Structure formats: structure tokens, C-alpha cells
């Protein structure tokens, strides 16, 4: 049973809408913040007072303003919150549903639900809460379709590192030095060239720029 929920959302209208929906859902204690640092502080205090939150609902993107923040986005918040309270349930409510981002949140932080901000998101959010109440996972259909798209291709950590270096403007001939410096094998030029070529052929992409753009669109870099 969900009794204590924390909302981290920087848009006031969305924040209030979430509060109202949670109250209608029957959750007795709902707190909210507009900044990730404040959310982490509330989670820490709640643990110390033996009144830990059952669920964190957070956006991923937070607009910068004059308040300097240590945690720059929702993913940073989830990572820090899970370190403090590993069993904390997390529902991500965000327009940023890039497949690479969703996949990373599931694999690295074991989030419980992801709902994309959309026209009918209130109904979907209620389904997500019902699933979480029953200790089940919930991902809206558009999010599941996005992740299926990513899982069609097998990107290794090596692939992602190489593509990330390309995205940073590093020339192919210089990539082996970066890989060797970080002990990422294989770091021979021939291995790097073959892997890039294989990725482009598999994805039917004509050049390195298109490969980088494709991976940015997926959210893996």
C-alpha cells in the first residue's frame, strides 16, 4: 500500500495536477518539490525520521534557473535516491522517453514505472499506480515500443563508447588512443574501423554522422 509519495516536478501546473490525482487515488501523504536537490534532502530526512517514502515520482528534465543545483536532472536524483534507499519505488513521468534513456533507467536503477507525458497521461498514471500498488512494473505502450526499437539492435558498451567519441568530434584514427588510455579493449585501429563499419551496415546508415545522429535519437549517447 502506497502511503507516502514524493513528487519532483519543476512545472507548477503539472505538480499540482499530480498532487490532486494522488489524493483522489487515496494516498494520504503527498509531498512535492520543484528541485532535485530538495527532493533528495526530503528523502534523507524522511529516512532519518523513520517515515521513508514509498514512492518517488519524478520528471527527468528540470529547467535551470538562478538556484544552483548539485543534481542536474531526474536521473541524477534517481541514482542518489536509490543509494540512500535502495527499496524506494520510482515512477518516471516525463516527455523524455528516448529508448536508450528508458533502457538505462530500467537496467541501472530498476525503476518501477515510466509514463510519457501525453494527452491521456492521467488515466495512464492511474494504471501505473495500480501496478505499483500490486508490486508490478508498468510502462506505457509508447515507452514499451520505444524500448523494443532499441532492443532490435545489440549495442555493446564498447559500441556506445566508440560512437560517443565520434559524437565528440574525435577522428576514427585517434579513437584507439582514447580506448587504450581507459583500458577498453580491443583498441586497435582495425578493430575500431571494423566495428563502426558493422554498425553502419547493420543499421543501413551511409556514414558516421548518420550513425551518431541515429544513436542520439535513441538516447544511448
Amino acid at each position: 500500500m502506497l502511503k507516502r509519495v514524493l513528487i519532483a516536478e519543476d512545472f507548477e501546473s503539472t505538480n499540482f495536477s499530480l498532487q490532486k490525482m494522488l489524493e483522489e487515488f487515496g494516498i494520504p501523504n503527498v509531498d512535492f518539490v520543484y528541485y532535485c536537490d530538495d527532493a533528495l534532502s526530503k528523502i534523507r530526512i524522511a529516512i532519518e525520521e523513520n517515515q521513508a517514502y514509498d514512492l518517488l515520482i519524478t520528471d527527468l528534465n528540470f529547467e535551470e534557473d538562478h538556484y544552483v543545483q548539485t543534481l542536474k536532472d531526474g536521473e541524477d536524483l534517481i541514482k542518489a535516491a536509490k543509494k540512500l534507499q535502495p527499496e524506494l519505488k520510482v515512477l518516471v513521468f516525463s516527455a523524455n522517453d528516448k529508448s536508450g534513456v528508458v533502457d538505462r533507467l530500467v537496467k541501472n536503477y530498476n525503476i518501477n514505472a515510466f509514463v510519457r507525458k501525453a494527452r491521456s497521461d492521467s488515466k495512464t498514471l492511474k494504471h501505473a499506480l495500480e501496478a505499483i500498488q500490486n508490486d508490478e512494473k508498468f510502462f506505457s505502450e509508447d515507452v514499451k515500443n520505444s524500448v523494443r526499437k532499441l532492443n532490435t539492435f545489440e549495442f555493446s558498451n564498447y559500441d556506445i563508447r566508440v560512437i560517443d567519441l565520434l559524437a565528440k568530434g574525435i577522428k576514427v584514427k585517434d579513437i584507439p588512443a582514447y580506448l587504450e588510455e581507459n583500458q577498453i579493449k580491443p583498441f586497435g585501429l582495425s578493430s575500431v574501423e571494423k566495428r563502426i563499419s558493422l554498425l553502419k551496415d547493420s543499421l543501413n546508415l551511409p556514414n558516421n554522422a548518420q550513425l551518431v545522429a541515429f544513436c542520439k535519437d535513441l538516447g544511448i549517447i
Side-chain angles (χ1 to χ4, degrees):
M1 178 69 181
L2 297 174
K3 294 182 179 178
R4 290 180 55 79
V5 176
L6 176 64
I7 301 167
E9 165 62 57
D10 59 344
F11 280 92
E12 188 176 59
S13 59
T14 305
N15 208 319
F16 286 159
S17 294
L18 283 169
Q19 291 174 59
K20 187 173 186 228
M21 188 205 67
L22 290 169
E23 288 168 6
E24 291 173 352
F25 195 79
I27 295 173
N29 297 296
V30 178
D31 293 327
F32 66 94
V33 293
Y34 297 109
Y35 298 95
C36 293
D37 283 12
D38 291 344
L40 187 64
S41 177
K42 275 191 169 291
I43 290 168
R44 183 181 291 110
I45 291 170
I47 293 170
E48 290 171 354
E49 294 178 348
N50 200 29
Q51 294 185 4
Y53 290 103
D54 302 306
L55 173 66
L56 167 66
I57 300 177
T58 183
D59 196 351
L60 291 179
N61 299 326
F62 287 75
E63 287 190 355
E64 293 184 8
D65 59 17
H66 57 287
Y67 291 105
V68 179
Q69 298 292 300
T70 303
L71 304 173
K72 61 184 176 63
D73 57 29
E75 185 170 348
D76 279 354
L77 170 59
I78 293 167
K79 181 179 180 180
K82 283 286 193 175
K83 282 185 179 178
L84 283 178
Q85 188 181 341
E87 73 281 5
L88 177 65
K89 292 177 176 169
V90 177
L91 189 164
V92 176
F93 181 47
S94 177
N96 181 5
D97 64 340
K98 289 184 176 180
S99 50
V101 174
V102 180
D103 189 64
R104 185 168 64 247
L105 291 171
V106 172
K107 289 179 178 175
N108 293 353
Y109 311 114
N110 193 31
I111 64 169
N112 301 83
F114 194 117
V115 175
R116 185 174 73 88
K117 289 182 177 178
R119 192 166 294 170
S120 59
D121 53 29
S122 292
K123 185 185 295 183
T124 310
L125 277 166
K126 288 177 182 177
H127 290 322
L129 288 170
E130 287 168 357
I132 293 171
Q133 290 265 40
N134 295 320
D135 288 323
E136 298 171 353
K137 303 279 188 178
F138 181 92
F139 298 89
S140 49
E141 280 304 314
D142 44 8
V143 171
K144 286 194 282 190
N145 291 335
S146 178
V147 173
R148 285 191 198 105
K149 180 182 176 184
L150 173 65
N151 291 336
T152 303
F153 311 103
E154 291 297 329
F155 289 97
S156 67
N157 290 332
Y158 180 84
D159 296 333
I160 294 169
R161 192 58 181 270
V162 168
I163 297 166
D164 186 53
L165 289 169
L166 285 174
K168 290 175 179 174
I170 308 299
K171 294 180 179 178
V172 174
K173 67 182 180 65
D174 296 324
I175 287 177
Y178 284 84
L179 297 178
E180 186 172 8
E181 183 180 344
N182 291 280
Q183 292 299 301
I184 299 171
K185 297 180 180 181
F187 42 69
L189 178 58
S190 175
S191 297
V192 171
E193 289 176 332
K194 284 179 181 176
R195 193 59 195 169
I196 292 173
S197 178
L198 178 62
L199 285 168
K200 287 189 295 188
D201 288 344
S202 299
L203 299 168
N204 195 27
L205 298 169
N207 53 51
N208 292 352
Q210 292 273 358
L211 176 61
V212 168
F214 179 86
C215 292
K216 281 185 176 179
D217 185 55
L218 285 179
I220 66 172
I221 61 169

